[in-house]
Amino acid sequence: MTQRVELATVMDRLAVDGLVTEYAVAVDDGDWEAYRRLFTVDGRADYRSAGGIEGDAGQVAGWLEETMRLFPMRQHLIVNRRVRFGLLEQDIGDTARIQADYVNPMRFAGPDGGPSEPDFVCGGRYAFAFLRTGEGWRLREVVVREKWRRTPRVRQQDT
């Protein structure tokens, strides 16, 4: 591998890794327009394992916008990223995949719509698929594979 190819690979790796971060920030900040812009025109997302929907990025962004109102405080922690580049039409590096683990603490909304107790925490693994486009790298698919969740316990009242 030449230095030029190695540098291009590093730059691509940084670009797709940056998209994963932009994805997490868009969801955590509730920036659904930014979320939509991360995807290719035919991009899809699948949140079914976490009790959600599967559909095109626009449909899923609308569902997330409604659902995430229950959780005004949320924070994705995405770690253990494994990046793989692939082929599209025989051009090396036109596709990429990242498998990454996540922990996602969220706080339920209170009566005024702001954060309240208790917290809800879930974790699992993302499968991200990317495509190099004329505008740069974009998400082609996001699949959430929730592995666990911790929901709040109902406290017993002293009688």
Side-chain angles (χ1 to χ4, degrees):
M1 204 181 266
T2 67
Q3 282 186 322
R4 182 173 295 161
V5 171
E6 289 173 357
L7 178 59
T9 301
V10 169
M11 297 302 292
D12 285 339
R13 187 179 190 93
L14 289 170
V16 296
D17 188 68
L19 273 176
V20 170
T21 299
E22 292 301 320
Y23 165 87
V25 170
V27 173
D28 291 345
D29 290 352
D31 188 345
W32 309 117
E33 286 307 312
Y35 179 93
R36 287 177 180 91
R37 286 192 305 269
L38 295 171
F39 286 83
T40 60
V41 172
D42 62 346
R44 302 190 66 75
D46 183 349
Y47 290 79
R48 290 177 292 180
S49 76
I53 68 167
E54 185 274 336
D56 68 52
Q59 293 169 318
V60 173
W63 172 80
L64 283 168
E65 184 173 6
E66 288 296 315
T67 304
M68 291 298 110
R69 288 183 179 143
L70 297 172
F71 306 102
M73 189 289 302
R74 47 196 180 265
Q75 181 180 33
H76 278 78
L77 307 171
I78 302 178
V79 299
N80 300 334
R81 299 175 191 202
R82 293 171 60 194
V83 179
R84 302 284 186 264
F85 290 99
L87 304 174
L88 180 68
E89 299 174 7
Q90 306 308 312
D91 291 328
I92 295 175
D94 285 333
T95 65
R97 293 194 172 273
I98 293 182
Q99 174 182 295
D101 296 326
Y102 71 90
V103 175
N104 185 202
M106 298 182 281
R107 178 148 293 167
F108 282 102
D112 63 353
S116 177
E117 296 288 337
D119 290 340
F120 170 95
V121 183
C122 59
R125 181 164 287 160
Y126 278 112
F128 295 98
F130 303 87
L131 179 67
R132 186 193 311 271
T133 72
E135 293 79 41
W137 287 97
R138 295 291 182 266
L139 284 165
R140 185 179 240 177
E141 182 180 55
V142 175
V143 178
V144 176
R145 294 187 183 103
E146 186 176 275
K147 293 183 175 186
W148 61 271
R149 68 173 51 183
R150 186 182 74 217
T151 56
R153 294 186 201 145
V154 177
R155 294 183 185 172
Q156 296 285 332
Q157 295 276 337
D158 291 329
T159 56

